[in-house]
């Protein structure tokens, strides 16, 4: 029996796992004992041992799934279980455009909250900088650097900023996410010329792109590391989240919450709320607070509907 090889699950389609290894990329099956041991479906990003079947040299099977270091998951209300979107993720890159379409900060805050709740680092990519008249990132977006998120301006058209982005991605598994039409596929095509993914056209009126990127793939990067394209993260529902944890998902609130008068303060309109005071004195941005309140409402709604 040849020695097993260790590799990374890139994709899963119709019962076949595509596994990237130093010896090449192989299509593998998962059956028998390995399947029973896993219990839940193997996710993209999982590290697995595979072996080639001796009789059919083209055929491989997964013999073991190595322990996960992290997972990015979404709680499915309908299926009443956790759905793992990607395993062993190191960071989340939230990709937005500076214009066409304008950055949706509510969605950005939601994605950042997902990253924080999973204890994952996050970075913000602001694409289409060629559309900035004065070359300056809008202050509302630049402000994310003040609360500790790396903000990386890029332009898929000219290639500006892509070198810095690549350095950030090297050797890590990064979930690449954001609304459609912001240029995610264009960035991938620019940094990985061999990939040749389809770029969606932007509709004239809405400024939004067509949905052209399919779900659940991990793309190997030339400098090591992978990009994970997991659209499901956008539909994150905070319904499974403890409302007490939600303030921690807004990193600039964390040092404040101990200063609230009530230990169970939800930072809505309670007297003596330190978060509210920080919003009033301008040290916490209004729109971050509004995003928090909207997620709080969702989280409470999920709890009251008797999940
Ligand atoms: N002006 C400008 N347009 C861009 C840039 N990057 C992408 N686009 C355009 O934005 C539209 C959507 O791009 P696409 O890569 O499909 O976005 P995705 O939906 O996020 O994958 C396409 O028409 C691209 O040509 C950029 O840096 N500057
Ligand atoms: Mg795309
Ligand atoms: Zn409070």
């Amino acid at each position: 029996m040849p020695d097993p090889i260790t590799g990374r699950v890139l994709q899963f389609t119709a019962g076949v796992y595509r596994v990237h290894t130093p010896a090449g990329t192989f299509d593998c099956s998962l059956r028998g004992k390995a399947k029973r041991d896993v219990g839940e479906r193997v996710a993209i990003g999982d590290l697995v041992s595979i072996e080639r079947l001796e009789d059919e040299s083209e055929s491989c099977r997964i013999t073991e799934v190595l322990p996960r270091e992290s997972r990015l998951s979404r709680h499915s209300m309908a299926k009443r279980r956790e759905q793992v979107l990607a395993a062993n993720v190191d960071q989340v890159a939230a990709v937005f455009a500076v214009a066409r379409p304008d950055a949706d900060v509510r969605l950005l805050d939601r994605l950042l909250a997902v990253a924080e709740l999973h204890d994952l680092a996050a970075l913000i990519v602001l694409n289409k900088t060629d559309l900035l008249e004065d070359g300056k990132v809008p202050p509302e977006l630049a402000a994310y650097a003040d609360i500790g998120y790396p903000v990386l301006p890029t332009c898929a058209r000219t290639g500006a900023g892509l070198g810095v982005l690549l350095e950030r991605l090297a050797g890590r598994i990064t979930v690449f996410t954001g609304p459609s039409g912001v240029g995610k596929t264009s960035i991938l095509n620019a940094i990985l010329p061999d990939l040749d993914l389809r770029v969606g056209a932007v509709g004239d009126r809405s400024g939004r792109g067509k949905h052209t990127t399919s779900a659940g793939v991990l793309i190997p990067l030339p400098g090591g590391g992978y990009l994970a394209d997991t659209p499901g993260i956008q539909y994150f529902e905070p319904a499974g989240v403890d409302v007490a944890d939600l303030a921690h998902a807004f990193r600039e609130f964390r040092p404040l919450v101990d200063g609230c008068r009530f230990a169970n303060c939800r930072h809505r309109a309670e007297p003596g709320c330190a978060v509210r005071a920080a919003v009033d004195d301008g040290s916490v941005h209004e729109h971050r607070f509004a995003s928090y309140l909207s997620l709080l409402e969702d989280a409470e709604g999920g709890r009251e509907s008797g999940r």
Side-chain angles (χ1 to χ4, degrees):
M1 198 49 96
D3 284 341
I5 339 174
T6 301
R8 207 50 94 170
V9 176
L10 298 182
Q11 203 170 353
F12 173 72
T13 22
V16 177
Y17 294 86
R18 179 153 291 176
V19 179
H20 184 243
T21 81
T25 300
F26 303 99
D27 285 338
C28 304
S29 62
L30 175 67
R31 293 201 200 95
K33 185 178 182 306
K35 183 165 189 172
R36 283 194 302 276
D37 288 351
V38 176
E40 61 183 313
R41 220 184 77 180
V42 176
I44 61 167
D46 264 321
L47 208 50
V48 295
S49 294
I50 63 170
E51 67 180 16
R52 294 206 214 188
L53 303 180
E54 280 174 334
D55 43 344
E56 319 144 66
S57 61
E58 294 305 306
S59 178
C60 292
R61 80 169 159 230
I62 294 174
T63 55
E64 196 187 351
V65 182
L66 304 182
R68 285 178 181 157
E69 284 178 12
S70 70
R71 70 188 68 201
L72 182 70
S73 58
R74 143 168 100 118
H75 188 87
S76 166
M77 297 278 281
K79 293 180 184 153
R80 290 173 178 276
R81 65 175 180 84
E82 185 192 41
Q83 179 194 4
V84 178
L85 299 171
N88 300 315
V89 170
D90 296 301
Q91 59 186 4
V92 173
V95 188
F96 287 83
V98 292
R100 273 187 259 160
D102 284 341
D104 174 352
V105 288
R106 197 56 52 83
L107 176 61
L108 171 56
D109 288 337
R110 192 171 272 253
L111 294 175
L112 295 174
V114 175
E116 297 290 351
L117 290 167
H118 285 84
D119 266 326
L120 299 172
L123 52 109
I124 300 167
V125 177
L126 295 179
N127 191 43
K128 307 200 188 188
T129 51
D130 56 315
L131 300 178
L132 291 173
E133 272 166 26
D134 55 1
K136 281 211 176 121
V137 169
E140 192 181 34
L141 296 174
Y144 283 87
D146 303 338
I147 53 179
Y149 292 107
V151 175
L152 278 62
T154 63
C155 180
R157 262 209 187 146
T158 64
L162 296 181
V164 177
L165 175 60
L166 266 175
E167 278 169 29
R168 284 269 174 186
L169 303 177
R172 298 174 182 163
I173 297 184
T174 305
V175 167
F176 209 59
T177 187
S180 81
V182 300
K184 295 181 300 299
T185 301
S186 302
I187 291 172
L188 292 183
N189 282 333
I191 62 181
L192 302 163
D194 296 338
L195 199 63
D196 193 27
L197 294 170
R198 279 179 54 211
V199 171
V202 166
D204 288 336
R205 277 185 303 159
S206 70
R208 287 173 197 279
K210 271 189 269 174
H211 191 79
T212 52
T213 312
S214 67
V217 290
L218 206 65
I219 300 158
L221 294 167
Y226 299 86
L227 277 179
D229 187 1
T230 59
I233 181 181
Q234 291 181 47
Y235 309 111
F236 165 77
E237 297 172 44
V241 173
D242 190 330
V243 289
D245 291 339
L246 208 55
H248 289 266
F250 287 73
R251 65 192 309 170
E252 72 275 38
F253 295 10
R254 272 183 228 155
L256 301 170
V257 296
D258 284 343
C260 293
R261 184 176 307 162
F262 302 113
N264 64 350
C265 186
R266 299 267 167 85
H267 326 297
R268 192 185 269 116
E270 292 88 339
C273 173
V275 174
R276 192 83 204 213
V279 176
D280 291 342
D281 76 18
S283 52
V284 161
H285 288 275
E286 292 268 3
H287 80 261
R288 289 279 290 169
F289 187 60
S291 291
Y292 165 76
L293 291 180
S294 122
L295 281 177
L296 179 65
E297 209 160 282
D298 289 359
E300 288 178 337
R303 197 201 42 187
E304 277 151 24
S305 69
R307 195 167 34 85

